[in-house]
């Protein structure tokens, strides 16, 4: 598969989302801290939370999400969209769309359709395997200086299910299978030669405008103190707990491998608790910057990028960009939290 090179930073970032792309990063404070660990490469498998433009290369951006057109990427490039599902950069850009963990045929058996992409975790791992087969020389030594991120992936398995009418009980029954699919992916990455791996969990999905809109209710007890939906956040906690348990079991099997859980859930909750102090607009914490609709500026029939869908004046004042994905400013703060949380756990000299 052809590689597209973009000179961006000093760290070499390889993202496997819908296809394969190689990036280089500039020296942010966060990336410099990671470089002190000796990392010269970051390999990422994931979904639209980390896609730096592969959906454009796979011609998938326009099917459901419109990440391949303006206003997506408006604060990253003034000339054209980069394919990032944000107004600018993503977490991977600061550290360094639509993929699922389960294969498409397994999702279909569960009567869940993924209209965005068939590039599941297994497909991405096949791309990674193909890449490493063509660059076997000194691979083991090179990968000792590489950080692997296996995810976030798995969230879309549940997103598609929720939007297609699956109950939380049904999603809970799916969770072990999704977790084991991810763990098999981690084992395969270890087989490639990875020695330091981060496996991110899921966000508190009950705080996202897409679900706050879909499951809106007048029952005040359905919400927590941050006006997030309790049941959906409890499910995210349930899934993340199972993922963490599986990671701990895997660590016993591979004691010489550094395996870290990426705590996206608590990173997001920290951001929400401290949002006003960090410069976000208190009245817009759960509204989409780019969107339209009652309450949360979100409507699945008129998503960001559709004709006559407005954009907020200041994206930096919003956590949510399009009701599903976050703004560049939100990703920046999440990246800082995650790096601070992960660095002590990494095998740094």
């Amino acid at each position: 598969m052809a590689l597209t090179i973009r000179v961006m930073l000093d760290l070499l970032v390889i993202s496997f989302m819908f296809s394969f792309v190689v990036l280089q990063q500039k020296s942010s404070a966060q990336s410099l801290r990671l470089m002190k660990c000796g990392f010269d490469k970051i390999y990422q498998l994931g979904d639209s939370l980390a896609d730096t433009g592969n959906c454009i290369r796979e011609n998938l951006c326009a099917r459901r999400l419109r990440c391949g057109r303006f206003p997506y990427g408006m604060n990253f490039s003034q000339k054209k969209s980069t394919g990032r599902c944000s107004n600018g950069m993503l977490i991977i850009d600061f550290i360094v769309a639509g993929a699922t963990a389960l294969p498409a045929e397994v999702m279909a058996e569960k009567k869940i359709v993924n209209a965005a992409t068939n590039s599941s975790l297994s497909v991405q791992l096949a791309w990674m395997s193909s890449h490493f087969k063509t660059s076997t020389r000194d691979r083991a030594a090179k990968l000792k200086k590489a950080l692997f991120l296996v995810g976030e992936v798995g969230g879309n398995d549940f997103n598609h299910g929720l939007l297609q009418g699956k109950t939380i009980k049904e999603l809970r029954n799916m969770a072990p299978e999704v977790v084991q699919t991810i763990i098999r992916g981690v084992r395969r990455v270890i087989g490639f030669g990875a020695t330091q791996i981060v496996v991110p969990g899921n966000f508190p999905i009950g705080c996202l405008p897409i679900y706050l809109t879909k499951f809106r209710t007048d029952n005040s007890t359905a919400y927590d103190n941050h006006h997030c939906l309790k049941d959906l956040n409890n499910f995210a906690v349930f899934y993340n707990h199972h993922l963490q348990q599986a990671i701990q079991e895997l660590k016993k099997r591979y004691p010489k491998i550094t395996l870290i859980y990426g705590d996206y859930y608590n990173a997001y909750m920290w951001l929400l608790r401290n949002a006003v102090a960090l410069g976000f607009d208190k009245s817009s914490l759960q509204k989409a910057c780019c969107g339209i609709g009652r309450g949360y500026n979100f409507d699945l029939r008129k998503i960001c990028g559709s004709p006559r869908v407005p954009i907020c004046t200041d994206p930096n004042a919003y956590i949510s960009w399009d009701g599903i994905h976050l703004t560049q400013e939100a990703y920046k703060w999440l990246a800082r939290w995650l790096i601070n949380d992960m660095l002590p756990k990494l095998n740094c000299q």
Side-chain angles (χ1 to χ4, degrees):
M1 181 171 290
L3 302 183
T4 300
I5 311 294
R6 292 173 182 265
V7 177
M8 287 177 57
L9 304 200
D10 298 308
L11 279 177
L12 181 65
V13 181
I14 303 182
S15 301
F16 299 81
M17 260 64 61
F18 301 109
S19 66
F20 189 63
V21 65
V22 181
L23 304 176
Q24 287 188 315
Q25 276 196 314
K26 64 185 177 183
S27 298
S28 66
Q30 283 69 41
S31 60
L32 285 172
R33 292 183 69 190
L34 282 179
M35 280 189 278
K36 289 181 180 179
C37 291
F39 299 132
D40 59 1
K41 299 178 183 68
I42 299 179
Y43 294 84
Q44 177 150 22
L45 297 146
D47 56 21
S48 60
L49 295 179
D51 185 8
T52 55
N54 292 309
C55 67
I56 290 179
R57 298 175 184 89
E58 296 287 305
N59 296 315
L60 295 166
C61 287
R63 290 189 186 176
R64 180 158 187 139
L65 298 173
R66 291 170 169 78
C67 302
R69 66 176 72 164
F70 262 48
Y72 287 90
M74 58 181 280
N75 295 111
F76 187 98
S77 170
Q78 294 299 315
K79 295 182 179 180
K80 61 181 181 179
S81 174
T82 62
R84 289 166 171 81
C85 292
S86 175
N87 61 304
M89 293 192 288
L90 310 174
I91 289 176
I92 189 64
D93 290 308
F94 288 107
I95 296 180
V96 195
T100 58
L102 298 177
E105 58 271 20
V106 176
M107 295 287 281
E109 290 173 3
K110 299 178 185 298
K111 295 182 172 56
I112 299 174
V113 178
N114 180 4
T117 176
N118 289 326
S119 300
S120 64
L121 180 58
S122 62
V123 173
Q124 296 175 38
L125 285 165
W127 293 337
M128 183 178 274
S129 176
S130 177
H131 166 68
F132 287 138
K133 284 179 180 177
T134 63
S135 56
T136 56
R137 184 179 178 183
D138 301 324
R139 186 176 77 192
K142 291 178 180 178
L143 293 188
K144 285 184 179 180
K145 296 181 180 181
L147 178 65
F148 283 73
L149 282 79
V150 183
E152 190 275 329
V153 67
N156 278 329
D157 299 65
F158 307 121
N159 293 340
H160 295 309
L162 282 169
L163 293 176
Q164 294 170 39
K166 298 296 182 181
T167 65
I168 290 180
K169 182 179 179 180
E170 288 175 304
L171 297 188
R172 281 175 175 259
N173 291 336
M174 277 178 57
E177 187 176 0
V178 172
V179 167
Q180 287 309 309
T181 299
I182 294 170
I183 293 301
R184 285 195 295 271
V186 174
R187 288 203 300 266
R188 191 167 178 189
V189 166
I190 292 171
F192 293 146
T195 60
Q196 303 200 72
I197 305 167
V198 176
V199 185
N202 203 357
F203 284 130
I205 59 175
C207 301
L208 304 180
I210 182 174
Y211 294 124
L212 287 167
T213 299
K214 180 174 177 59
F215 299 107
R216 186 169 184 163
T217 175
D218 293 329
N219 180 8
S220 61
T221 63
Y223 301 92
D224 64 16
N225 293 336
H226 300 289
H227 201 73
C228 300
L229 288 161
K230 292 179 184 177
D231 285 351
L232 289 177
N233 278 2
N234 287 340
F235 167 72
V237 170
F238 169 85
Y239 165 75
N240 289 337
H241 175 70
H242 278 271
L243 181 61
Q244 290 175 78
Q245 283 187 319
I247 292 170
Q248 290 303 316
E249 290 299 316
L250 199 60
K251 289 173 72 171
K252 295 176 184 177
R253 182 173 176 178
Y254 298 99
K256 295 183 179 180
I257 302 296
T258 301
L259 282 170
I260 298 171
Y261 170 69
D263 197 351
Y264 279 25
Y265 186 99
N266 281 312
Y268 191 101
M269 294 308 296
W270 169 86
L271 176 62
L272 199 56
R273 287 193 300 271
N274 295 278
V276 175
L278 297 174
F280 294 92
D281 183 354
K282 184 177 181 179
S283 65
S284 303
L285 297 184
Q286 288 163 322
K287 294 181 179 180
C289 167
C290 179
I292 192 170
R294 184 171 62 93
Y296 304 101
N297 288 355
F298 183 83
D299 186 335
L300 266 176
R301 298 165 298 181
K302 298 178 181 178
I303 60 175
C304 181
S306 298
R308 296 181 294 280
V309 171
I311 308 166
C312 67
T313 304
D314 182 12
N316 288 341
Y318 285 68
I319 290 176
S320 178
W321 164 242
D322 60 4
I324 305 168
H325 308 93
L326 309 186
T327 61
Q328 173 177 277
E329 188 70 7
Y331 283 134
K332 179 187 78 175
W333 288 108
L334 290 177
R336 291 184 181 185
W337 191 98
L338 289 164
I339 289 174
N340 288 335
D341 184 63
M342 293 187 301
L343 270 178
K345 304 169 188 174
L346 291 169
N347 186 24
C348 298
Q349 300 298 322

